[in-house]
């Protein structure tokens, strides 16, 4: 049998597929434990640093980023929020995170998290291969799994002790688990979110998740001068159908007459439509491959859980790998999938529940619509219901993966 010739070879302890927030954080946490890793990323560094996505960090995420050494700018520029609002047809109900569960969240864009992590990885000298193509995973059930890819015309083979699949929903890692060894659970929602980012002051100082007869809307922000808004739209709608003026008008109608006058409009810095999906892959481990973040699970953005779950997985995985390298303790790597998935399913439930509660579903009959309104009215009047939402929004606790 002919062996393929690889022009470049390397060895490392942990080979990381995907240099988004999960992959970068993992590399950084491992480096702090003297564990060497190499990141292989499909996109250029500029593309990764420019992506605009999440905005809300749980305290657990802030803590793990701080432990990773990237807490400084986050502490300075991140805005602490002690509550947010739910709204029905313009009527607002505060969810007082601090008063109800003694918690807070921090508004700090994923774009900034990624830039901070990238800078830390560069400073640590972590080897990163950007613009890599044809990434493939090999020998996952052996003690020496490997990655192959192409970069700048050269063919590479990297051998490692472990491979971390941090390559998002469409990456190759999950697909490298044989179909009969994984089970996938999925719900695709019949709508998307149309998002706009603009350099205008936010309409109020807390986020508003609004249900209206015209569909869902979210008022969020990045800073005192930069706003981020979303509205529910059809998943197949062309972006060209939403010139800025139409989007601003629709937002005002959905957020209602009390809030609309506070909305400052301005040209879009970015505008895009994201489909909504719930997805979980069981398992998150195959041999020496571990999945983390969006490669293993997707939530609709309604609960602001996607990035937080990704960072949570990486906290568990880095703890598990560190114990293995430090004193040969394999309990973390044995328990990783089970422990991570327990937290994932709870966040899936919360994101699905909030999505169902706040969006308009075309196939909903009149009873379904009334049930949604009744549920919202109940939440508005019940401290117990608000407490449950607050407890999930600030982030559920972590287990000890080594226990
Ligand atoms: P990412 O960010 O998708 O990064 C995966 C990386 O892998 C690379 N990759 C490959 N590399 C090598 N070879 C291949 N063949 C590869 N294929 C892919 C990709 O280029 C990429 O760099 O996954 P990661 O790191 O797990 O991070 C997950 C988060 O990005 C995601 O969960 C959040 O953005 C979700 N999300 C939100 N999460 C929150 O916690 N709070 C929020 O407020 C929030 N809002 C959102 C969101 C996601 C959104 N969109 C656009 C999906 C709002 C939106 C609109
Ligand atoms: C955002 O600001 O991008 C954002 C905030 C809250 C969410 C989703 C996205 O639930």
């Amino acid at each position: 049998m002919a062996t393929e010739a690889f022009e470049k070879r390397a060895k490392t302890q942990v080979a990381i597929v995907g240099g988004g927030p999960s992959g970068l954080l993992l590399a950084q946490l491992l480096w702090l434990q003297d564990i060497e890793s190499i990141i292989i990323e499909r996109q250029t560094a500029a593309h990764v640093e420019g992506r605009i996505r999440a905005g809300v960090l749980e305290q657990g995420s802030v803590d793990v980023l701080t432990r990773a050494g990237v807490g400084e700018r986050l502490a300075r520029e991140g805005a602490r929020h002690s509550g947010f609002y739910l709204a029905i047809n313009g009527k607002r109900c505060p969810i007082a995170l601090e008063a109800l569960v003694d918690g807070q969240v921090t508004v700090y864009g994923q774009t900034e998290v990624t830039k901070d992590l990238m800078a830390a990885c560069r400073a640590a000298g972590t080897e990163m291969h950007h613009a890599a193509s044809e990434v493939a995973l090999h020998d996952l059930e052996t003690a020496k799994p490997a990655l192959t890819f192409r970069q700048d015309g050269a063919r590479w083979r990297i051998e490692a002790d472990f491979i971390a699949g941090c390559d998002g929903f469409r990456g190759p890692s999950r697909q490298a688990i044989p179909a009969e060894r994984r089970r996938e659970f999925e719900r695709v929602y019949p709508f998307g979110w149309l998002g706009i980012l603009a350099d205008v002051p936010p309409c109020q100082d807390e986020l508003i998740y609004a249900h209206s007869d015209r569909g869902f809307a979210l008022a969020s922000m990045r800073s005192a001068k930069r706003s981020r808004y979303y509205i529910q739209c059809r998943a197949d709608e062309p972006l060209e159908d939403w010139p800025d003026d139409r989007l601003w008008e629709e937002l005002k109608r959905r957020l209602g007459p009390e809030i609309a006058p506070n909305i400052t409009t301005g040209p879009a810095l970015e505008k895009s439509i994201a489909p909504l999906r719930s997805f979980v892959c069981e398992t998150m481990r195959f041999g020496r491959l571990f999945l983390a973040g969006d490669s293993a699970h997707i939530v609709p953005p309604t609960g602001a859980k996607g990035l937080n779950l990704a960072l949570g997985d990486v906290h568990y995985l880095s703890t598990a790998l560190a114990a293995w390298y430090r004193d040969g303790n394999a309990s973390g790597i044995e328990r990783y999938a089970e422990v991570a998935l327990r937290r994932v399913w709870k966040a899936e439930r919360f994101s699905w529940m909030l999505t169902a509660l706040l969006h308009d579903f075309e196939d909903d009959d009149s009873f379904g619509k009334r049930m949604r309104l009744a549920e919202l009215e109940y939440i508005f009047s019940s401290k117990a219901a608000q407490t449950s939402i607050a407890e999930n929004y600030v982030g559920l606790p972590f287990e000890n993966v080594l226990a």
Side-chain angles (χ1 to χ4, degrees):
M1 197 175 70
T3 38
E4 280 195 86
F6 289 93
E7 292 163 30
K8 299 197 175 186
R9 288 175 179 269
K11 282 194 167 56
T12 190
Q13 289 174 299
V14 182
I16 301 174
V17 192
S22 303
L24 292 165
L25 177 64
L26 180 62
Q28 185 59 15
L29 290 170
L30 293 177
W31 177 75
L32 288 168
Q33 305 270 352
D34 292 325
I35 301 165
E36 189 190 88
S37 66
I38 298 180
I39 294 177
I40 318 300
E41 164 61 50
R42 185 167 62 105
Q43 302 285 358
T44 63
H47 179 101
V48 171
E49 285 178 309
R51 267 193 306 234
I52 293 157
R53 286 186 174 174
V56 175
L57 295 175
E58 298 169 357
Q59 189 55 43
S61 299
V62 171
D63 293 343
V64 70
L65 289 166
T66 305
R67 271 205 309 282
V70 292
E72 198 192 313
R73 190 162 74 100
L74 169 56
R76 206 171 53 240
E77 294 179 17
R80 313 272 281 172
H81 284 227
S82 54
F84 70 93
Y85 286 84
L86 292 178
I88 329 175
N89 293 324
K91 194 176 118 206
R92 268 168 292 176
C93 167
I95 303 292
L97 302 174
E98 197 155 72
L100 291 168
V101 294
D102 196 19
Q104 287 191 328
V105 292
T106 299
V107 170
Y108 189 72
Q110 177 169 336
T111 316
E112 309 312 313
V113 172
T114 307
K115 283 183 190 157
D116 295 346
L117 284 167
M118 195 93 98
C121 285
R122 284 195 190 105
T126 298
E127 191 173 327
M128 292 190 265
H129 294 263
H130 283 98
S133 61
E134 296 173 35
V135 178
L137 294 79
H138 312 274
D139 308 329
L140 299 172
E141 287 192 293
T142 73
K144 279 286 164 222
L147 282 182
T148 53
F149 62 97
R150 262 181 204 281
Q151 190 194 30
D152 293 334
R155 291 172 57 71
W156 277 84
R157 180 179 174 92
I158 295 183
E159 284 181 5
D161 299 330
F162 298 99
I163 295 181
C166 301
D167 45 351
F169 185 61
R170 302 195 183 283
S173 296
R174 186 179 68 253
Q175 307 299 337
I177 304 178
E180 67 279 9
R181 298 286 289 274
R182 64 184 141 97
R183 194 160 168 217
E184 300 187 342
F185 302 81
E186 182 170 50
R187 173 153 306 178
V188 178
Y189 298 87
F191 42 73
W193 276 20
L194 168 60
I196 183 168
L197 184 75
D199 271 339
V200 292
C203 63
Q204 72 160 36
D205 49 10
E206 306 284 29
L207 276 75
I208 309 169
Y209 291 81
H211 173 76
S212 84
D213 296 340
R214 303 178 64 86
F216 170 78
L218 168 61
S220 179
M221 69 283 289
R222 289 292 177 272
S223 71
K225 293 190 212 130
R226 184 168 282 189
S227 302
R228 179 74 164 154
Y229 291 99
Y230 298 93
I231 57 171
Q232 172 184 0
C233 65
R234 286 200 333 269
D236 59 355
E237 216 155 351
L239 200 53
E240 304 81 74
D241 285 3
W242 286 98
D244 293 2
D245 288 350
R246 179 180 174 211
L247 208 172
W248 288 119
E249 267 323 296
E250 188 61 30
L251 252 174
K252 287 181 182 174
R253 292 169 85 166
R254 294 192 192 181
L255 287 166
E258 269 183 40
I259 300 157
N262 301 333
I263 297 178
T264 312
T265 63
L269 297 174
E270 192 259 4
K271 203 163 53 174
S272 55
I273 295 178
L276 263 66
R277 179 193 306 272
S278 296
F279 173 87
V280 179
C281 174
E282 282 182 353
T283 173
M284 289 171 66
R285 176 194 178 184
F286 174 66
R288 292 212 167 200
L289 166 68
F290 296 89
L291 303 182
D294 279 18
S295 70
H297 42 74
I298 296 288
V299 286
T302 325
K305 290 288 165 236
L307 174 62
N308 289 299
L309 274 184
L311 303 181
D313 289 351
V314 171
H315 158 66
Y316 283 138
L317 183 56
S318 59
T319 308
L321 290 171
W324 192 86
Y325 280 109
R326 196 179 49 238
D327 35 49
N329 176 354
S331 70
I333 58 177
E334 295 300 338
R335 279 166 45 84
Y336 168 72
E338 173 202 333
V339 171
L341 280 164
R342 243 195 310 272
R343 198 159 180 276
V344 165
W345 275 115
K346 289 179 193 149
E348 290 282 345
R349 183 206 68 85
F350 179 64
S351 308
W352 161 83
M353 182 280 288
L354 264 194
T355 303
L357 181 68
L358 294 170
H359 290 73
D360 197 46
F361 287 73
E362 264 170 16
D363 59 354
D364 237 4
D365 57 12
S366 55
F367 184 79
K369 286 193 200 309
R370 281 301 170 92
M371 280 298 103
R372 181 168 316 115
L373 286 179
E375 176 86 32
L376 276 162
E377 293 285 0
Y378 165 63
I379 293 166
F380 278 36
S381 65
S382 161
K383 189 175 170 191
Q386 291 168 22
T387 304
S388 166
I389 290 176
E391 178 181 42
N392 282 277
Y393 197 78
V394 300
L396 296 176
F398 288 100
E399 290 178 52
N400 179 2
V401 70
L402 302 178

